Amino acid sequence: MWDGIVIGGGLSGLIAGIRASEKGKRMLVISEGVGSLTYSSGVMDFGDVERLKEEKNHPYALMGETVVRAGMEYFQRLFPDYQGAWQNSQQVLTPLGSPREADLVPTGLNAGVLQKAKEIVLIAPEGMKDFFPEVIKAKLERVYSKAKIEIYPVAVEAFDIWRNSGKLITGMDYAKYWRSDQGAVNLKNILGKLTEEMACSSSGATSGEKQGEKSAIIFPGLAACFSNVLKGVLEEVPLPIVEMTAFPPSASGQFLYEALKQKFKALGGELLVGTGVKKVEFQGKRCHTVIVKSKGKDVTFSAQSFILATGGIFGGGIQVGPKDANESVMGLPLYVPAQWTNSEFLGEQPYAKMGVEVDPELRPLAAGNQEPLFDNVRIVGRLLAHWDPWLDHCGGGVSLASGWLAGEIL
Ligand SMILES: Cc1cc2nc3c(=O)[nH]c(=O)nc-3n(C[C@H](O)[C@H](O)[C@H](O)COP(=O)(O)OP(=O)(O)OC[C@H]3O[C@@H](n4cnc5c(N)ncnc54)[C@H](O)[C@@H]3O)c2cc1C
């Protein structure tokens, strides 16, 4: 018998599992897939907490500011390489080169330093999929209009065969290469040569102006904060290096997912990825067993408590038909707006707020009732009702706060 079973191993489920394990609980995470974190850019958005915590039924209003802050602090304790402070957002570059705000940002992605730069060099790894140097350059020229922007193409011999055969190289392929022994040496050489060239071209700097204060390098897709080898290489470079976020799947999101799994396992947690919970058994107001299909057979797991972290429509936690929507594991009642969509493409889309309504301890509520349906089941992350990650910009915030809270009170 497990102390707790988490169903769904995305951001919210893994945070819940890690927190509960840290508190000495024996935890099992069962996950059908890898979760939407692997598609995200790896930065954490909390949105306008002051406003959202006043919105009726919003998860922030239910959990309260203290819990949202605890979620943020907890994540930073797990990942000290993430910069950010409460409601003091950082700037990151989108995959097309526009700056945008985000709350918790892997150290290397903070683009604040570009504001002062007079010379910005954009590294362009050749043949990199979904990376558009000319478009990015044009955008950077508009945003950092006082800086000279240059593209610096980089061809990696190891990918020659790929390029010659027309095979595109993903950001993740490059990210893996740079952290290999050969890749790290190559990166060191590339950056050494580039900084020398930049030092020569800026030898006319006015007195008191150091090269590092007026020049910067943009490097896509290193995800350096997840690699001690890469951190070591970048530390030796005398210029600031700014990484960009990437189109999905991004290296930062994928390495963050791997790092979360490692932390959970290091605390003694067990992880079963690739198989979904098909059925759940209850007695009275308590869930006691989940059933998964493995190699054609039903396998059962029992626990004292359960955390449902199956995501929304995207994660598989909500299944939608032409006219109805269902919570896919426990058959819990869902909040479903009367009208699902809005003809204004970029406007509010009501279906985004579909989800399970909960009490302040994240226990699911019966439809139209404030009584928890089950005493030992908690709902976290995207499956919660009454929030819209795209308009509220709080996908990371809700997942971290609810995951932390569920792990804390399990
Ligand atoms: C493309 C994209 C970009 C994003 N960008 C950002 C961003 O820049 N900043 C930000 O803050 N947030 C961003 N988000 C949102 C953020 O990533 C999500 O809010 C967060 O990851 C949700 O986590 P979750 O754990 O609740 O759900 P998910 O990540 O969806 O995980 C749910 C997990 O449950 C599993 N599952 C489903 N059904 C079952 C079952 N029956 N049995 C077992 N397992 C099951 C799924 O396979 C999946 O692994 C982005 C999301 C997407 C999709």
Side-chain angles (χ1 to χ4, degrees):
M1 162 91 72
W2 296 88
D3 291 328
I5 292 179
V6 182
I7 307 169
L11 177 62
S12 60
L14 286 170
I15 288 287
I18 291 169
R19 182 62 191 142
S21 304
E22 237 181 22
K23 295 194 83 183
K25 306 282 185 189
R26 273 190 74 232
M27 298 298 295
L28 169 68
V29 171
I30 302 172
S31 195
E32 191 145 40
V34 293
S36 50
L37 194 59
T38 53
Y39 295 93
S40 82
S41 55
V43 305
M44 298 290 142
D45 292 300
F46 277 67
D48 183 351
V49 184
E50 284 302 312
R51 178 178 65 78
L52 296 172
K53 74 175 195 224
E54 302 301 328
E55 251 179 37
K56 193 166 174 261
N57 295 327
H58 192 281
Y60 284 176
L62 275 177
M63 294 185 285
E65 183 179 319
T66 313
V67 169
V68 184
R69 276 181 186 263
M72 180 183 258
E73 283 161 18
Y74 185 60
F75 184 77
Q76 279 187 297
R77 181 154 76 68
L78 291 177
F79 296 101
D81 279 326
Y82 267 70
Q83 286 183 350
W86 181 249
Q87 294 294 275
N88 183 9
S89 54
Q90 321 281 303
Q91 270 196 348
V92 291
L93 290 179
T94 67
L96 292 180
S98 310
R100 80 148 173 107
E101 304 290 313
D103 289 281
L104 294 181
V105 172
T107 309
L109 269 75
N110 189 334
V113 70
L114 297 177
Q115 311 270 13
K116 284 194 200 153
K118 291 188 182 154
E119 179 188 26
I120 299 174
V121 173
L122 170 66
I123 305 271
E126 280 191 9
M128 184 158 146
K129 188 173 178 238
D130 294 334
F131 178 68
F132 311 102
E134 291 298 341
V135 177
I136 298 167
K137 180 174 185 270
K139 187 74 204 176
L140 293 171
E141 278 168 346
R142 277 202 295 279
V143 177
Y144 305 104
S145 54
K146 290 193 183 123
K148 187 175 129 212
I149 319 281
E150 273 182 89
I151 296 175
Y152 191 78
V154 164
V156 169
E157 214 183 301
F159 290 124
D160 274 356
I161 298 177
W162 296 35
R163 272 194 307 273
N164 294 340
S165 61
K167 185 170 183 252
L168 289 168
I169 308 154
T170 65
M172 195 62 189
D173 294 325
Y174 265 112
K176 281 186 190 157
Y177 169 73
W178 298 126
R179 54 220 335 116
S180 68
D181 289 347
Q182 188 201 11
V185 172
N186 196 2
L187 180 66
K188 201 172 163 168
N189 291 337
I190 290 167
L191 291 171
K193 186 165 168 268
L194 173 61
T195 45
E196 251 175 52
E197 286 172 23
M198 288 172 79
C200 290
S201 74
S202 67
S203 54
T206 55
S207 60
E209 225 176 19
K210 281 190 254 133
Q211 189 197 1
E213 286 170 2
K214 65 185 205 84
S215 308
I217 297 169
I218 298 178
F219 208 127
L222 286 172
C225 95
F226 297 102
S227 156
N228 288 334
V229 174
L230 289 188
K231 277 197 253 178
V233 173
L234 298 194
E235 262 162 31
E236 287 177 27
V237 180
L239 297 180
I241 296 186
V242 176
E243 295 183 45
M244 306 177 72
T245 60
F247 287 115
S250 85
S252 291
Q254 297 205 25
F255 283 116
L256 175 58
Y257 171 66
E258 293 302 325
L260 283 163
K261 285 196 301 184
Q262 270 175 25
K263 282 193 192 289
F264 177 61
K265 287 189 196 159
L267 288 161
E270 273 205 36
L271 190 60
L272 213 60
V273 180
T275 182
V277 171
K278 299 294 166 224
K279 221 172 125 197
V280 180
E281 288 174 352
F282 298 95
Q283 190 160 32
K285 288 185 85 174
R286 295 185 73 77
C287 174
H288 56 86
T289 301
V290 298
I291 300 160
V292 303
K293 269 251 183 288
S294 177
K295 295 179 186 149
K297 283 195 206 140
D298 281 353
V299 184
T300 59
F301 297 95
S302 300
Q304 302 283 359
S305 298
F306 296 82
I307 295 173
L308 194 57
T310 47
I313 297 169
F314 193 81
I318 297 176
Q319 279 170 352
V320 287
K323 287 200 178 129
D324 59 354
N326 299 293
E327 187 284 301
S328 59
V329 175
M330 298 188 177
L332 297 171
L334 284 180
Y335 161 75
V336 179
Q339 189 165 353
W340 289 24
T341 54
N342 169 3
S343 56
E344 211 182 303
F345 180 60
L346 291 176
E348 181 178 344
Q349 295 297 336
Y351 74 86
K353 294 193 173 174
M354 232 181 243
V356 178
E357 295 186 309
V358 294
D359 74 354
E361 289 195 15
L362 304 175
R363 290 171 299 194
L365 299 176
N369 192 327
Q370 291 308 301
E371 267 300 295
L373 270 173
F374 301 107
D375 292 332
N376 67 340
V377 173
R378 291 191 161 75
I379 312 298
V380 296
R382 190 64 193 97
L383 187 60
L384 290 165
H386 301 294
W387 67 292
D388 179 335
W390 311 116
L391 283 191
D392 298 343
H393 297 293
C394 62
V398 170
S399 299
L400 293 180
S402 59
W404 175 83
L405 179 62
E408 184 73 14
I409 59 183
L410 185 99

